[in-house]
Amino acid sequence: MAISTEPEAALSVLPRADGSAKYSHAGYTVTASVNGPIEAQRRDEHAYEAVVDVIVRPAAGAGGTRERHLESILQSSLSQIILIKNFPRSLIQIVLQIESTPENDYVNTKLVQASLNFPIIPALLQTAVLALLSAAVPMRATATASVVAVVPEGQTKRMVVDPSPRDLDIAKSVHVLAFTSHDELLLAESEGDFTVKEWDDVYETAQRICCRPATTAETDMAIDDEAAGPDMRHFLRSTMETKIAADLHWK
Amino acid sequence: MPREAEPSLNEKQFLLQAIQENLRLDGREPDQYRPLGLTFGDEHGVADVTLGKTRVLARASAEVTVPYADRPLDGVFTIATELSPMASPAFEVNRPTETEVLLSRLLEKTVRRSGALDTESLCLVAGQKCWSVRVDVHVLSHDGNLIDASCFAVVAALRHFRKPDTSIEGGVLTVYTPAEREPVPLGWLHSPFCVTWSYFGDEGETALLDATRAEEQVRVGSCTISLNRHGEICQIAKLGGTPVDALMLLQCTSIALAKVKEISSLLDRKLDEDTKQRNKGGRAAELTAENDR
């Protein structure tokens, strides 16, 4: 199976939802739909702000504790960037359907896994943000996320951005970091053994991927050569630009 | 969760009058399907079906489990249909609607009970180990005729699916990883498909194939016929209170057979194309561990 290293996205793929996006990166494919602001149920509604409801649906098998955990992580991150105070007593519903995950050819996969699937969080968050943009839900900032694994290599350790399932098996620790478009840290989740120094390195790597400043056309080439990993912020921007250009084609 | 918006009286009458004059809003013939599309994913067992604006994703998966105590020689085969709010905000998680119950029931009758998948071939060690094959149906977008689209997606996903190869030596079961041995296809016996007719008018005198969501909201009854391309009928479900003329039902069945033949050849062609595409190096024949039946 060919795993694409460059992220790909399509906006407004579903005809009925208010906003939707399909995103694939590093073997993960996720489709998201956003409906909102819609009427919240009586028992959920909040008098001063909108309720953000995130539903994660696995590709195979029924959702369990793992999905509920992912939902709670995403829910708290997305509530931070959506202007929920603008929509009291309403609901913003985000459904994330996982379509495919990278498979490890050397291990037989079990359907029900209790462990947390860390490396999928960036794909989920990225798709959610794209779908929210497509639904034109007012947001304080956009967000970009990245996953970094610390993989031992002999005596030293190596940072792997967007690790493959085999890298994850041998990784000492896995970190997920998300940043807003104002370069603020939005989400930091870590798993495994690591030192403060390692975390600082991971933070720098993730920040380089998520928060690369906008470049002009001339300097673009030079930076591409040395930079490791995709430029998520530029990707988000160019996806939206393409979509808006297509939408305003008639003008 | 908001309720599904019902069409207004004007919309209803406009649609019904058009149907009475043998016109459909999208300009189709009464017995014409919307364009049916099928794409397979990178992995085996993922089928993405589009029928007009309706879009269904089916995904097959398998794992080794213990068989049911009352059926020690059979494997486990389940079809999971859960409609998420992605299809429509009116659907709620963990609260099945009537649409969902009907859909899962019809898929169960069409694919599972008609014996399309040979469940005995899923048995590994009698009474101890068997394959559990599961198909998850994800409705991404609901614009009518979920049943036909879902059934097509389920059959396509199962026929495209490959389960890991196994061997038993001295009572020890080995499940090979995809890197060790090429996965093998499922024991497939026949491919049933659903064809749904919708009836309109006071006495159900007008029949339309492949209703859109707007048409589904104003119909008086529907009839889902499941059959394979040999004309063997797996089930007929006539839903809605209005009785339908018997002769018309017969006519519907014969048109359904013609449609199933078309759908069936479309699936065969797509599967062939996919096999060719995967077999780029021309080594698939060497890699396969499958025996001829």
Side-chain angles (χ1 to χ4, degrees):
Chain A
M1 189 175 115
I3 289 176
S4 67
T5 46
E6 282 297 304
E8 278 175 41
L11 291 179
S12 306
V13 284
L14 307 175
R16 278 196 71 199
D18 288 344
S20 57
K22 183 177 180 166
Y23 172 82
S24 52
H25 178 45
Y28 293 99
T29 308
V30 181
T31 298
S33 78
V34 170
N35 282 309
I38 53 175
E39 182 192 341
Q41 260 187 345
R42 214 42 181 296
R43 60 163 194 263
D44 301 328
E45 81 173 16
H46 194 292
Y48 299 109
E49 55 185 43
V51 179
V52 178
D53 185 17
V54 182
I55 300 159
V56 175
R57 291 170 52 88
T65 358
R66 184 167 66 157
E67 279 69 32
R68 298 294 93 75
H69 188 194
L70 286 175
E71 282 167 12
S72 73
I73 291 173
L74 289 166
Q75 201 265 346
S76 53
S77 309
L78 290 169
S79 306
Q80 295 293 318
I81 57 170
I82 299 171
L83 292 171
I84 44 175
K85 290 269 197 301
N86 288 10
F87 305 102
R89 294 181 189 279
S90 54
L91 169 77
I92 295 168
Q93 191 176 50
I94 305 164
V95 188
L96 294 152
Q97 173 71 57
I98 301 168
E99 287 188 16
S100 67
T101 50
E103 271 182 20
N104 192 347
D105 271 355
Y106 297 88
V107 187
N108 275 314
T109 43
K110 285 290 274 179
L111 211 57
V112 184
Q113 286 168 322
S115 67
L116 182 60
N117 187 356
F118 252 61
I120 202 165
I121 298 178
L124 292 173
L125 188 71
Q126 214 77 76
T127 325
V129 168
L130 282 168
L132 284 165
L133 287 170
S134 152
V137 173
M139 286 193 284
R140 188 169 286 124
T142 56
T144 46
S146 153
V147 56
V148 181
V150 180
V151 177
E153 200 173 55
Q155 292 300 308
T156 58
K157 283 174 185 158
R158 182 167 61 99
M159 286 311 159
V160 182
V161 180
D162 298 322
S164 69
R166 296 204 77 190
D167 286 332
L168 287 171
D169 277 352
I170 52 169
K172 276 275 184 205
S173 60
V174 186
H175 310 264
V176 177
L177 288 100
F179 295 86
T180 64
S181 46
H182 305 311
D183 293 354
E184 292 155 338
L185 186 64
L186 179 68
L187 167 78
E189 294 276 334
S190 304
E191 188 182 40
D193 295 340
F194 55 93
T195 61
V196 176
K197 167 84 178 63
E198 274 171 15
W199 195 86
D200 286 342
D201 290 346
V202 166
Y203 178 80
E204 270 174 35
T205 316
Q207 198 177 29
R208 209 170 57 236
I209 293 165
C210 297
C211 309
R212 206 172 295 167
T215 49
T216 51
E218 297 91 69
T219 55
D220 222 15
M221 294 298 286
I223 286 178
D224 264 349
D225 288 336
E226 51 166 335
D231 180 353
M232 295 313 295
R233 187 175 289 174
H234 179 246
F235 163 75
L236 201 68
R237 183 174 277 273
S238 65
T239 311
M240 280 314 287
E241 276 172 0
T242 321
K243 168 74 178 144
I244 289 167
D247 283 354
L248 299 180
H249 180 66
W250 55 275
K251 270 198 170 173
Chain B
M1 275 348 100
R3 272 198 308 150
E4 191 80 51
E6 277 180 27
S8 67
L9 203 61
N10 282 350
E11 277 178 291
K12 257 187 204 168
Q13 282 191 335
F14 176 69
L15 195 61
L16 286 173
Q17 199 180 339
I19 289 168
Q20 248 175 17
E21 291 169 18
N22 271 327
L23 289 170
R24 292 177 86 168
L25 291 195
D26 44 11
R28 281 184 289 151
E29 296 295 313
D31 59 347
Q32 194 184 354
Y33 264 90
R34 288 170 286 176
L36 182 63
L38 167 68
T39 42
F40 293 111
D42 285 337
E43 297 157 70
H44 277 290
V46 181
D48 189 340
V49 169
T50 52
L51 183 63
K53 282 183 183 169
T54 297
R55 186 159 161 229
V56 179
L57 181 86
R59 193 195 164 98
S61 51
E63 63 177 348
V64 178
T65 47
V66 182
Y68 295 125
D70 54 335
R71 319 210 72 174
L73 295 174
D74 278 349
V76 181
F77 174 39
T78 42
I79 303 174
T81 42
E82 205 189 324
L83 299 176
S84 70
M86 188 178 260
S88 154
F91 297 132
E92 221 175 313
V93 183
N94 297 329
R95 189 173 294 175
T97 52
E98 195 189 276
T99 328
E100 185 180 328
V101 175
L102 284 178
L103 177 64
S104 65
R105 185 89 191 103
L106 276 171
L107 287 179
E108 170 101 7
K109 282 203 279 187
T110 308
V111 184
R112 218 170 83 93
R113 291 245 297 264
S114 77
L117 178 69
D118 180 15
T119 47
E120 277 180 30
S121 73
L122 298 176
C123 177
L124 295 166
V125 183
Q128 286 171 31
K129 286 213 166 68
C130 71
W131 281 111
S132 160
V133 174
R134 179 189 169 99
V135 192
D136 290 85
V137 181
H138 304 299
V139 177
L140 302 183
S141 155
H142 174 21
D143 189 35
N145 208 2
L146 275 187
I147 294 168
D148 295 10
S150 308
C151 182
F152 183 59
V154 167
V155 172
L158 283 168
R159 285 185 57 185
H160 189 247
F161 183 60
R162 302 283 182 274
K163 66 175 162 42
D165 198 15
T166 51
S167 75
I168 298 174
E169 261 175 62
V172 181
L173 174 75
T174 321
V175 180
Y176 296 100
T177 63
E180 287 169 331
R181 277 199 196 176
E182 195 65 7
V184 291
L186 299 168
W188 193 252
L189 300 177
H190 73 123
S191 302
F193 298 101
C194 294
V195 175
T196 304
W197 285 93
S198 300
Y199 298 103
F200 299 86
D202 290 337
E203 280 132 33
E205 65 270 4
T206 322
L208 295 184
L209 200 64
D210 185 27
T212 61
R213 204 174 62 88
E215 286 167 344
E216 276 185 1
Q217 282 175 319
V218 298
R219 71 182 175 194
V220 292
S222 75
C223 180
T224 302
I225 305 158
S226 308
L227 68 174
N228 60 20
R229 67 192 166 121
H230 306 296
E232 294 160 340
I233 291 180
C234 308
Q235 66 90 25
I236 294 184
K238 165 73 183 66
L239 306 169
T242 315
V244 171
D245 188 36
L247 272 177
M248 186 147 101
L249 215 54
L250 276 178
Q251 210 180 356
C252 288
T253 321
S254 58
I255 297 175
L257 178 58
K259 292 292 165 196
V260 162
K261 281 180 179 161
E262 276 173 35
I263 297 174
S264 184
S265 57
L266 171 80
L267 177 57
D268 288 345
R269 202 177 66 238
K270 288 278 181 189
L271 281 169
D272 272 353
E273 276 171 23
D274 186 73
T275 325
K276 276 204 194 103
Q277 205 199 342
R278 275 166 203 274
N279 189 14
K280 276 230 173 82
R283 296 181 73 89
E286 281 174 53
L287 284 168
T288 181
E290 185 192 359
N291 293 321
D292 287 329
R293 283 176 74 90

